Amino acid sequence: MRFGYFDDRNREYVITQPDTPLPWINYLGNQDFFGIISNTAGGYCFYKDARLRRLTRYRYNNVPMDSGGRYLYLRDDVSGAYWSPTWQPTQTQLDEYQCCHGLGYTKISSEFLGIRTSLSYFIPLDDNLEVWLLEVKNSRPTKVILSVFSCVEFCLWDAQDDATNFQRNLSTGEVEVENGIIYHKTEYRERRNHFAYFACSEPLSGFETQRESFLGPYRGWDVPLSVENGHLNNSIAHGWSPIGSHHIKLTLAPGGSSQVVFILGYHENSADHKFNPPESQTINKESLEPILAAYLDPAHAITSLSDLQQYWEARLRTFQIASPDVHTNRMVNTWNAYQVMTTYNISRSASYYESGIGRGIGFRDSNQDLLGFVHLIPIKARQRILDLSATQLENGGAYHQYQPMTKRGNDAVGSNFNDDPLWLVLGTAAYIKETGDWSILDERIVFNNLPGSEVSLLEHLHRSLQYTLIRLGPHSLPLIGHADWNDCLNLNTFSEMPGESFQTATHRDGTVAESVFIAGLFVLAVKEMVDLLQNCGSVDKISLYQDAADKMIRTIYTHGWDGSWFLRAYDNYGVKIGSQDCEEGKIFIEPQGICVLAGLGIENGMAARALKSVNMLLATQHGLVLQQPAFSHYYLNLGEISSYPPGYKENAGVFCHTNPWIMIAETMIGNGDQAFDYYTRINPSAREAISEIHRCEPYVYAQMIAGKDAPSFGEAKNSWLTGTAAWNYVAITQFILGIRPSHAGLTIQPVIPKDWMEFQAVRIFRGVEYHIRVIRHGPGNIVQLQVNGQSIPGITVPIPPADIHLVQVEAILT
Ligand code: GLC
Ligand code: GLC
């Protein structure tokens, strides 16, 4: 069952009924100001950091779900009937409803009682504000007298404090209203130099800034007293809960229409220009005035929306394809790239599942996000690499997360996730392959934000590898620390205390538990590092690393192979995890993926064997589950993984992030049919038709789909912010379609299904546009390249001379 459809031409998903199984959301914003918005206008916005600078309130886990957002009420002032044109919060049965989620904007249109509205929400490219562009049209044969009420509820900035510290917060709220503009200025009197504003292009008939005055006592957003009465009380909030609500009146002739702009924004003043007059407590609005004047003009608002659309077109032009499969085309051309950009921007901080409070920018997460993001805006990727490495510790370890506002490592989570540092090597290598910008390796960057500790980025990468090498366990495999990629395989935690963090509590000394996953990742990181060193002429450590990697490979073959698949780990007692010998958790997906990615077992048949085991034991119609058999009870020696009921999350859920590793691995053994089959099983567009089962948005990946052990097998959860986005993008574009940046040029090595006779792609790479046509002449994966009509040896199109900007590539597969 579907709840909408893809409009591929306009790059929109069009939702046709408001009560989707879960709120289906979109992201607004690209630079510093962001919002999340559902298909019924729920959600919130923030400046840079969803915890520390949240502008509007959103109550997670609320009932009815997804109440709280960017709301309007329309009221027929003759009959007194009122409704929400975005369905929430009044939930009036609308005569028509449609929500188009587009790239960086959401447009909700509806009709009720002969009044048509269309409401576009977006954050313009370069300003810290949301625009709500409203068009109201009277399709009745008679004149209509309408009231429009807007409403947002302000958050008192720190979302964590806002939701907990009521003894203080119910007394601190402050606002100002000037020329019809509502300013939220809680704590501006003291240490904050920023405020929020909510403005409207039309003259007001009234306003409200105190929540209770708007709603009336004991009422909810669905039945606000002021709206019912058709009159706002011009309340000024002192303490309690500041809101912003405007009242405007529109009289529309038959067929008549009107445009109204609302803007909700964030503004900072310098410390010595906070007040005007200086000795007063009144906000100095001087530097804000030009911004207000610009955006309150509907013509400017409309131009900035089309600027935003052009911006997206330009980003996506970097890689467009035409393949025989519609689901592949729309994910690659639009939605997967868009999701990758979102995960890059937001990391794992703010979604409808991530509260924006708990988690900042993840070290391993962001490095992986980069793999899919780097071609979209390389310059931003560069900055992220530098920011991440500035949170690395001198011993090579890394803070697991950093806060986006401060860019400092998060002490509450700390370090010792022993896979973390290695991802920096992969992220940096991907950046250099994309851009050819070797200068990044010479950038001098601090450790742990400490001035004076600067070394080159290349030295940071050396420290990353060293970190693994000096933390080897009894089998010479890398020690796991708090966890490796799987945050929930906590082999040193041994937690018996409810509520203790599985990730940070450690009740064992950590000198025994080892990870085969990190071993595989190390081999992969060394490959990338050796490539870097060879290319930048810094050869002295190459043989050291190669020897270490060879040794690691032998160790994996000896102590990390279980007969039919790669082992997962050794626990604190030196006992195998992910082995035939185990009763539960006999086989895990992660080492099968990462070891084959690192090239292990390809020549000796272990890779094919491991992937066959994956197919037999982990593959389901809804994707590949993380391990089998699921853990049926809590294991003290394994930690959080066994805290989830079977089939959910890391305990045998389809943890989608891992699936593309297997897709890539299948391409590495030449199996395009299998790779593409796995790709399709979790492709959200390919699952659109079963939206009543999948339940999450059909245009983006979710972190997890419930596995076969769960009662809700096939149900997705935790959509949007997941490494699944980047890795699927890499799997389909670089390994299945096979168009892959390398240091020497653009590699073309498709491993596509046998029944694909042809596909085409346009890839902009290092300033050159490649028009690529792949044609199948035989059933295999052998590639013969023709560049501008000339056959060339090998699979890599060399970088053309500087004056060439267009290259035609034909790849014949036999
Ligand atoms: C979450 C985390 C990621 C981790 C994964 C598996 O997605 O953000 O860092 O690798 O879970 O536990
Ligand atoms: C939980 C989740 C896991 C995530 C981790 C991050 O353990 O199950 O997916 O990576 O939190 O801290």
Side-chain angles (χ1 to χ4, degrees):
M1 182 181 167
R2 292 179 164 84
F3 297 84
Y5 58 90
F6 285 91
D7 176 347
D8 291 323
R9 244 173 66 98
N10 290 310
R11 304 190 192 277
E12 287 176 345
Y13 191 80
V14 184
I15 298 165
T16 49
Q17 74 183 65
D19 52 341
T20 42
L22 293 162
W24 284 4
I25 74 162
N26 192 13
Y27 282 79
L28 311 177
N30 276 311
Q31 314 281 354
D32 292 330
F33 194 71
F34 297 100
I36 48 186
I37 183 165
S38 72
N39 56 312
T40 58
Y44 60 91
C45 58
F46 58 94
Y47 174 73
K48 283 192 179 171
D49 187 316
R51 169 169 175 182
L52 297 175
R53 289 280 196 288
R54 193 171 305 187
L55 270 78
T56 53
R57 251 182 208 160
Y58 187 77
R59 291 176 188 77
Y60 280 86
N61 219 353
N62 204 358
V63 281
M65 66 179 164
D66 190 31
S67 43
R70 308 154 169 89
Y71 292 145
L72 291 185
Y73 302 84
L74 263 65
R75 181 176 186 275
D76 180 330
D77 283 336
V78 176
S79 69
Y82 66 91
W83 69 98
S84 308
T86 60
W87 192 64
Q88 287 266 53
T90 64
Q91 298 193 6
T92 310
Q93 181 74 46
L94 300 164
D95 298 328
E96 277 176 36
Y97 160 91
Q98 179 175 293
C99 167
C100 301
H101 283 318
L103 307 184
Y105 66 91
T106 286
K107 180 173 167 185
I108 303 175
S109 318
S110 64
E111 179 158 343
F112 187 62
L113 301 177
I115 308 300
R116 281 202 69 77
T117 58
S118 121
L119 185 51
S120 299
Y121 297 96
F122 64 96
I123 292 176
L125 284 174
D126 298 312
D127 285 299
N128 298 320
L129 54 93
E130 300 189 352
V131 178
W132 311 2
L133 182 62
L134 170 69
E135 282 175 30
V136 190
K137 185 162 188 255
N138 177 15
S139 26
R140 296 183 193 173
T142 52
K143 178 175 94 171
V144 62
I145 303 172
L146 285 178
S147 279
V148 179
F149 301 92
S150 64
C151 192
V152 295
E153 184 178 8
F154 292 111
C155 176
L156 308 188
W157 303 116
D158 180 335
Q160 162 87 22
D161 189 74
D162 184 68
T164 47
N165 190 2
F166 302 107
Q167 60 80 23
R168 168 179 162 83
N169 294 341
L170 296 178
S171 297
T172 54
E174 287 193 299
V175 298
E176 254 174 63
V177 181
E178 195 180 293
N179 297 329
I181 299 165
I182 295 166
Y183 296 88
H184 173 230
K185 61 167 190 178
T186 300
E187 294 188 348
Y188 191 71
R189 59 164 48 243
E190 28 128 345
R191 292 157 295 177
R192 293 189 186 274
N193 67 337
H194 55 87
F195 58 89
Y197 56 90
F198 189 33
C200 167
S201 60
E202 299 303 301
L204 301 193
S205 298
F207 62 86
E208 208 80 85
T209 67
Q210 185 62 276
R211 190 178 73 200
E212 191 170 83
S213 177
F214 179 72
L215 293 179
Y218 292 94
R219 284 178 175 240
W221 302 106
D222 53 336
V223 284
L225 187 61
S226 301
V227 174
E228 191 174 299
N229 292 338
H231 171 80
L232 299 186
N233 305 303
N234 296 353
S235 60
I236 296 289
H238 296 282
W240 299 111
S241 298
I243 62 159
S245 175
H246 310 101
H247 178 197
I248 58 173
K249 289 199 170 166
L250 300 176
T251 301
L252 300 176
S257 64
S258 184
Q259 268 182 342
V260 187
V261 182
F262 296 90
I263 58 179
L264 169 65
Y266 169 92
H267 197 71
E268 286 177 1
N269 275 333
S270 59
D272 47 348
H273 285 90
K274 278 176 73 168
F275 302 107
N276 187 15
E279 63 283 1
S280 76
Q281 290 287 296
T282 309
I283 298 173
N284 181 351
K285 289 136 194 148
E286 261 168 31
S287 57
L288 176 63
E289 271 154 18
I291 300 173
L292 285 171
Y295 283 101
L296 288 176
D297 173 3
H300 181 81
I302 291 167
T303 320
S304 55
L305 178 55
S306 81
D307 289 350
L308 181 66
Q309 285 163 327
Q310 279 166 27
Y311 168 87
W312 270 108
E313 276 309 312
R315 296 282 81 71
L316 297 180
R317 243 170 55 81
T318 320
F319 203 160
Q320 293 289 294
I321 61 156
S323 85
D325 180 59
V326 62
H327 305 297
T328 306
N329 294 344
R330 68 165 62 112
M331 291 310 288
V332 169
N333 291 341
T334 303
W335 292 100
N336 195 357
Y338 181 59
Q339 186 181 3
V340 160
M341 178 86 116
T342 306
T343 56
Y344 170 85
N345 284 334
I346 313 282
S347 192
R348 305 297 173 269
S349 73
S351 73
Y352 265 35
Y353 308 87
E354 301 280 7
S355 66
I357 289 174
R359 298 168 71 186
I361 307 287
F363 196 92
R364 80 157 84 87
D365 292 336
S366 290
N367 274 305
Q368 291 171 85
D369 294 345
L370 267 169
L371 305 178
F373 168 82
V374 61
H375 69 295
L376 291 171
I377 316 183
I379 188 80
K380 275 199 176 187
R382 186 181 210 275
Q383 188 56 47
R384 178 62 57 81
I385 291 169
L386 302 182
D387 289 345
L388 285 165
S389 55
T391 65
Q392 191 175 26
L393 306 169
E394 229 158 320
N395 71 1
Y399 273 103
H400 197 47
Q401 293 155 10
Y402 73 82
Q403 283 312 120
M405 285 289 301
T406 60
K407 296 193 175 176
R408 282 176 184 274
N410 180 346
D411 285 317
V413 189
S415 72
N416 293 335
F417 294 75
N418 284 354
D419 64 317
D420 270 336
L422 295 172
W423 294 107
L424 184 63
V425 182
L426 269 60
T428 306
Y431 169 77
I432 297 175
K433 286 182 193 166
E434 178 66 34
T435 59
D437 170 17
W438 292 92
S439 76
I440 192 171
L441 291 177
D442 302 326
E443 288 284 346
R444 298 187 60 78
I445 308 152
V446 287
F447 288 111
N448 190 14
N449 278 291
L450 290 172
S453 63
E454 290 82 356
V455 297
S456 67
L457 177 61
L458 185 63
E459 177 59 24
H460 278 265
L461 303 187
H462 284 302
R463 301 277 173 111
S464 290
L465 294 174
Q466 282 305 319
Y467 183 86
T468 303
L469 284 176
I470 59 176
R471 281 174 184 70
L472 300 179
H475 301 90
S476 299
L477 289 164
L479 293 170
I480 197 167
H482 287 318
D484 58 24
W485 170 88
N486 190 332
D487 268 337
C488 298
L489 190 63
N490 316 119
L491 304 184
N492 297 306
T493 299
F494 283 79
S495 177
E496 295 185 279
M497 276 266 290
E500 201 170 44
S501 160
F502 286 107
Q503 275 80 42
T504 54
T506 306
H507 298 293
R508 292 296 181 274
D509 68 6
T511 55
V512 179
E514 298 168 299
S515 162
V516 176
F517 178 86
I518 301 181
L521 183 62
F522 175 80
V523 175
L524 188 57
V526 165
K527 280 196 166 174
E528 297 292 356
M529 186 70 163
V530 166
D531 271 359
L532 291 181
L533 296 174
Q534 266 160 354
N535 275 281
C536 70
S538 171
V539 290
D540 49 327
K541 286 204 173 136
I542 290 182
S543 60
L544 183 152
Y545 290 138
Q546 258 163 350
D547 291 348
D550 288 346
K551 189 156 172 242
M552 192 69 82
I553 292 170
R554 288 196 300 275
T555 307
I556 297 174
Y557 289 155
T558 325
H559 297 294
W561 178 252
D562 195 56
S564 297
W565 54 77
F566 292 99
L567 269 179
R568 180 62 179 85
Y570 287 91
D571 74 6
N572 172 67
Y573 308 108
V575 173
K576 291 174 186 172
I577 297 173
S579 156
Q580 306 273 7
D581 305 349
C582 304
E583 248 170 62
E584 298 183 329
K586 285 176 186 289
I587 173 170
F588 281 66
I589 197 168
E590 308 98 303
Q592 323 315 325
I594 209 79
C595 290
V596 180
L597 254 69
L600 272 94
I602 296 197
E603 267 147 37
N604 65 16
M606 283 179 180
R609 187 91 192 261
L611 292 173
K612 192 163 168 229
S613 303
V614 167
N615 185 260
M616 281 165 44
L617 301 170
L618 302 179
T620 78
Q621 83 221 60
H622 296 294
L624 307 169
V625 298
L626 192 140
Q627 47 91 358
Q628 279 291 299
F631 297 114
S632 59
H633 60 89
Y634 178 55
Y635 290 78
L636 193 59
N637 62 324
L638 301 181
E640 185 169 2
I641 190 167
S642 59
S643 74
Y644 290 109
Y648 293 113
K649 299 274 284 180
E650 285 88 339
N651 188 11
V654 175
F655 208 93
C656 296
H657 187 142
T658 61
N659 282 216
W661 295 340
I662 301 299
M663 298 167 204
I664 298 171
E666 288 287 356
T667 66
M668 293 181 66
I669 60 164
N671 200 348
D673 282 323
Q674 188 61 268
F676 188 70
D677 174 17
Y678 291 153
Y679 174 75
T680 303
R681 292 188 203 198
I682 63 165
N683 179 326
S685 163
R687 297 173 62 77
E688 185 198 16
I690 53 160
S691 285
E692 78 286 4
I693 296 170
H694 185 77
R695 299 186 85 229
C696 278
E697 296 91 332
Y699 41 92
V700 289
Y701 288 96
Q703 182 201 61
M704 185 213 42
I705 298 172
K708 59 186 176 184
D709 302 288
S712 58
F713 182 34
E715 179 190 39
K717 233 177 250 171
N718 302 6
S719 58
W720 281 96
L721 302 184
T722 160
T724 311
W727 275 110
N728 269 289
Y729 192 81
V730 170
I732 185 70
T733 60
Q734 299 192 12
F735 290 90
I736 297 176
L737 301 175
I739 301 171
R740 181 163 72 233
S742 60
H743 294 303
L746 193 60
T747 298
I748 317 273
Q749 190 185 20
V751 186
I752 51 177
K754 287 201 187 62
D755 62 359
W756 278 27
M757 300 317 290
E758 180 177 341
F759 75 88
Q760 295 182 33
V762 176
R763 175 68 155 92
I764 300 174
F765 173 63
R766 302 197 202 171
V768 178
E769 194 164 313
Y770 292 80
H771 290 200
I772 303 159
R773 187 157 167 241
V774 175
I775 307 159
R776 189 179 271 305
H777 285 181
N781 305 306
I782 298 166
V783 187
Q784 169 60 59
L785 290 183
Q786 293 213 340
V787 177
N788 295 326
Q790 303 285 313
S791 287
I792 63 156
I795 55 169
T796 298
V797 183
I799 309 287
D803 55 334
I804 306 285
H805 298 292
L806 181 68
V807 172
Q808 306 281 352
V809 182
E810 204 162 89
I812 309 289
L813 294 185
T814 51

